[in-house]
């Protein structure tokens, strides 16, 4: 199965989903939806095996590893969204976001949007964390997210 996630820097989002068992591919780049969300925004397309990692776990990981309750000024570049490939997938995502709200003090702003198009990041930015784990950006922003995944979703994480 495939699903898209956007919310913060795609370097971070890529590393987050690469750290999960059952995720076979993470494509880093830019996703757009339909109007009024038809501008490209940093995101990833995740290919996963739902028998190994359920969709609801992917959604929970996403909601807990970016500012899913913030309407900050960079939301054009970093749209908080889950990009779906079918109406059934949209229903599942929306239902789980409602269920997950109890884990947050503020309202979740993450939108469920239809996937429309994807363009990959330039090759030098692909697998950013994997090829640059010691860079300051990785240690400051990605390492804490990976620690959080190990703490909250340990049974689904792989060692990176």
């Amino acid at each position: 199965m495939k699903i898209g996630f956007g919310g913060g820097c795609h370097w971070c989002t890529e590393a987050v989903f690469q750290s999960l068992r059952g995720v076979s591919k993470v494509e880093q780049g830019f996703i757009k939806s339909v109007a009024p969300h038809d501008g490209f925004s940093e995101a990833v397309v995740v290919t996963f095996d739902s028998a190994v990692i359920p969709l609801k776990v992917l959604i929970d990981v996403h909601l807990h590893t970016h500012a899913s309750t913030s309407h900050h000024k960079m939301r054009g570049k970093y749209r908080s969204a889950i990009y779906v490939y079918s109406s059934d997938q949209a229903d599942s995502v929306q239902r789980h976001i409602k269920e997950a709200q109890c884990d947050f003090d503020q309202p979740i702003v993450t939108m469920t949007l239809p996937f429309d198009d994807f363009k990959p990041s330039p090759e030098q930015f692909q697998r950013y964390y994997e090829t640059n784990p010691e860079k300051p950006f990785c240690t400051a922003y990605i390492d804490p997210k990976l620690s959080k995944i190990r703490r909250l979703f340990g049974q689904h994480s792989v060692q990176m």
Side-chain angles (χ1 to χ4, degrees):
M1 296 182 74
K2 281 187 177 185
I3 193 159
F5 293 100
C9 168
H10 51 198
W11 295 352
C12 292
T13 311
E14 176 189 54
V16 161
F17 289 101
Q18 285 174 330
S19 76
L20 299 172
R21 294 183 201 305
V23 171
S24 58
K25 185 176 183 182
V26 180
E27 299 170 81
Q28 180 210 114
F30 304 85
I31 294 178
K32 72 175 191 138
S33 186
V34 297
H37 306 290
D38 54 348
F40 281 99
S41 184
E42 292 192 22
V44 298
V45 174
V46 174
T47 303
F48 67 103
D49 180 346
S50 61
V52 178
I53 189 161
L55 176 59
K56 77 180 270 180
V57 172
L58 294 174
I59 295 167
D60 285 340
V61 166
H62 182 58
L63 295 175
H64 285 280
T65 56
H66 82 285
S68 61
T69 61
S70 174
H71 282 293
H72 59 74
K73 66 181 179 178
M74 296 295 289
R75 277 295 176 223
K77 182 177 181 181
Y78 304 123
R79 185 181 303 126
S80 181
I82 300 174
Y83 300 94
V84 296
Y85 287 78
S86 70
S87 59
D88 286 344
Q89 197 176 49
D91 291 344
S92 294
V93 169
Q94 289 170 337
R95 188 171 41 256
H96 188 65
I97 288 174
K98 285 179 187 171
E99 292 169 4
Q101 181 60 62
C102 66
D103 293 338
F104 297 87
D105 294 332
Q106 300 296 317
I108 295 170
V109 301
T110 305
M111 298 176 285
T112 305
L113 299 172
F115 175 90
D116 184 57
D117 197 10
F118 175 80
K119 61 181 182 179
S121 299
E123 183 60 36
Q124 74 260 27
F125 300 122
Q126 299 291 325
R127 299 169 313 286
Y128 191 79
Y129 183 78
E130 181 183 315
T131 57
N132 300 286
E134 301 302 320
K135 289 213 173 178
F137 181 89
C138 294
T139 58
Y141 296 103
I142 298 175
D143 283 347
K145 291 174 190 268
L146 298 178
S147 292
K148 188 174 195 176
I149 289 170
R150 285 189 294 275
R151 188 175 71 253
L152 297 178
F153 307 97
Q155 72 276 25
H156 298 288
S157 69
V158 294
Q159 202 65 330
M160 291 184 75

